[in-house]
Amino acid sequence: MSSDAVSEVASSVSRGRPSVGWALLGSEISVLFRRRRTWAMLAVLALVPILIAIAVRVTRSTPNGGRGPAFLDQVTQNGLFVGVVGVLISIPLFLPLTVGVVAGDSIAGEASAGTLRYLLIAPVGRVRLLIVKYLAAAVFCLAATLAVVVAGTLIGIALFPVGPATLLSGDVIGVPETLIRSLLVSVYVTISLLGLSAIGLFISTLTDVPVGAMAATIVLSVVSQVLDSIPQLDWLHPWLFTHYWLGVGDLLRQPISWDSFGSNSVLQAAYIVLFGALAYGRFSTKDVLS
Amino acid sequence: MTGDATAAIETRGLTKRFGSHAAVSGIDVTVPRGAVFGFLGPNGSGKTTTIRMMLGLAAPTSGTIRVLGHDMPRELHSVLPRVGALVEGPGFYPYLSGAANLRRLDTADRFAPSATRRARVERALERVGLTHAARKKVHAYSLGMKQRLGIANALLTPRELLVLDEPTNGLDPQGTREVRNLIRSLAAEGTTIFVSSHLLAEVEQVCTHAAIMSAGELVAQGTLDELRGVGRSELRLLTPDAGLAIHVLGSFGLSAETTDAADGSALVTATLLGQTAEPDALVAALVGGGVRVRGFSIERPSLEDRFVALTGEGFDVVQ
């Protein structure tokens, strides 16, 4: 295309109707997954179940049922559970760590790179930017969870026998059913991380220092888990965004108990609304001086 | 200068306070359409804060801003797609290539059509001479290349107004010349250009209008000629016959002063006010009167003289 033709095209369409703006979401997700940091975090997450599986395989010891996370003792009989074990081990720290990095970086990272002002004068629209940033963080939550579950399931199939699995309720389910349960666990864990993402997004609007926002988000997830383990504060527990994080077990009973799934979803939605509103309140009127 | 509704930028009593400190206090800037407007001032005089308010990045404490006939920041969404800007240095994702960075920023503008995105990015890169580095990651760019990429970003769609904050920062002399030429060619296409700079020579070479900021206040504004003070030019004559020269110039109604110069010559200076004799006639009269003319020039005061007079000398700039 000659340059004249290009400028002609550009001038003829430039003042048309605005697009809905899916291009920005696509761009946001592609930028997220073009960063080496994102892939490094996903690789570390995938290593968690791989290391567990190798450790169990090499020592050939069957940990006794009382110690270690649920299902660890089942791994040697059924490799399909490695993914679920990996995700249970990653929930308290590894997953919130990576989600904290992505959510905390969302606005503060753009501010510190100097790209925030260029997005705003494009003009991106401040609300639209918050929504796109949040959706990208949610996509990362899913990718992070799947990295653990998929890597765990694959290494499990490679190192251990595959067959019917025994659930917490004592029932036995077949291979396809086990894979479906693993996917359900992934969905549960992804939803569990959505509240934390909203908190990270809000903190990210408060500062131009991305590391600070990341650290604050991660610390909050740890604090919430500590509070959740103090029995004297049991009145507070149902309100903590980490309260249902380890409720995954309910999906591994027969029949499935949907209680924690429902309560968790409602709780996470409440956190999204609350911190989404706070992020909007802060960011929509903020002077961008970075 | 007219303050009609078609001004590209018009601020009234624009003020921005940070705590008790007024970064910008009550400025009235009017940028006519089609002008190349130089926004001058020492570092820290409030130029960038003013630009941030014009682009809706920061909210004014008081006062109004109209850009392309619309209120800012209220009508930001209909104004900004028609404005290209470079604010306080370029900002890019270092891990993306130059072209990928531009495509990314272009997706943020809902009026920018995706169908022509690649072509428009290539065209903008070509315009600033970065085609060869389009696929290179930005962290490998020099400061000058980043600056040019920043200008390319401002040119992604046809703009009615370009706001360029220190556009030649970090550029070598060739790059500076290119930017000047670019500004001239954009202005020739009818784009209004608002360029902030502390480099006076820059502004003097490309601008038609200018405003001077000092300590958050607007101390002067107008066309370049108005700012320099039309007609207040200076005659400089190099001659060994100073006494004779003063006599000849006196017959034209000019009061001359003498200072010693090298080689036994003296430098004779006189201020030309309004209508006086043509320089040709002055030289003819001097030579006719037996004055040995070794050098003769008519110099108009530079913007720099005016700038220093308004904002202070050296490091004593008003804070």
Side-chain angles (χ1 to χ4, degrees), chain B residues 96-117:
Chain B
L96 294 183
S97 73
N101 262 293
L102 293 190
R103 286 198 295 270
R104 152 83 172 156
L105 290 173
D106 193 58
T107 58
D109 178 2
R110 290 168 65 203
F111 288 91
S114 4
T116 55
R117 183 162 296 133

Side-chain angles (χ1 to χ4, degrees), chain B residues 14 25 41 49 58 69 71 122 128-129 143 176 179 182 188 272 295 301 304 307:
Chain B
L14 185 62
S25 38
T49 306
D71 272 338
E122 271 172 37
V128 297
L143 178 58
T176 309
V179 168
L182 192 62
L272 300 174
E304 184 171 338
F307 181 76

Side-chain angles (χ1 to χ4, degrees), chain B residues 96-260:
Chain B
L96 294 183
S97 73
N101 262 293
L102 293 190
R103 286 198 295 270
R104 152 83 172 156
L105 290 173
D106 193 58
T107 58
D109 178 2
R110 290 168 65 203
F111 288 91
S114 4
T116 55
R117 183 162 296 133
R118 271 175 194 279
R120 285 184 291 110
V121 164
E122 271 172 37
R123 172 83 184 110
L125 286 169
E126 188 191 315
R127 229 171 156 175
V128 297
L130 277 181
T131 306
H132 65 283
R135 311 269 165 267
K136 232 192 214 180
K137 296 236 157 68
V138 166
H139 70 74
Y141 275 33
S142 66
L143 178 58
M145 288 163 80
K146 284 182 192 159
Q147 191 77 14
R148 284 194 277 170
L149 191 61
I151 296 173
N153 174 48
L155 301 176
L156 281 174
T157 56
R159 313 284 195 184
E160 288 167 54
L161 171 66
L162 278 179
V163 176
L164 303 173
D165 187 10
E166 305 280 359
T168 56
N169 212 4
L171 294 182
D172 50 24
Q174 286 87 342
T176 309
R177 268 175 81 100
E178 281 167 32
V179 168
R180 260 198 319 260
N181 291 336
L182 192 62
I183 289 178
R184 283 199 191 99
S185 75
L186 289 163
E189 291 166 20
T191 311
T192 307
I193 297 168
F194 184 89
V195 49
S196 96
S197 183
H198 60 272
L199 299 174
L200 297 153
E202 249 345 287
V203 168
E204 217 163 0
Q205 287 186 56
V206 293
C207 293
T208 57
H209 295 69
I212 299 177
M213 291 279 288
S214 176
E217 287 176 21
L218 198 68
V219 290
Q221 171 170 231
T223 66
L224 232 47
D225 284 338
E226 283 166 11
L227 282 177
R228 288 197 195 103
V230 185
R232 279 187 49 251
S233 45
E234 191 184 53
L235 175 155
R236 295 166 74 85
L237 169 69
L238 205 59
T239 175
D241 311 315
L244 205 53
I246 288 171
H247 177 72
V248 174
L249 291 174
S251 67
F252 284 91
L254 297 171
S255 61
E257 285 171 24
T258 321
T259 44
D260 282 334

Side-chain angles (χ1 to χ4, degrees), chain B residues 15-27:
Chain B
T15 301
K16 180 69 182 179
R17 295 184 167 278
F18 295 108
S20 62
H21 168 71
V24 175
S25 38
I27 65 169

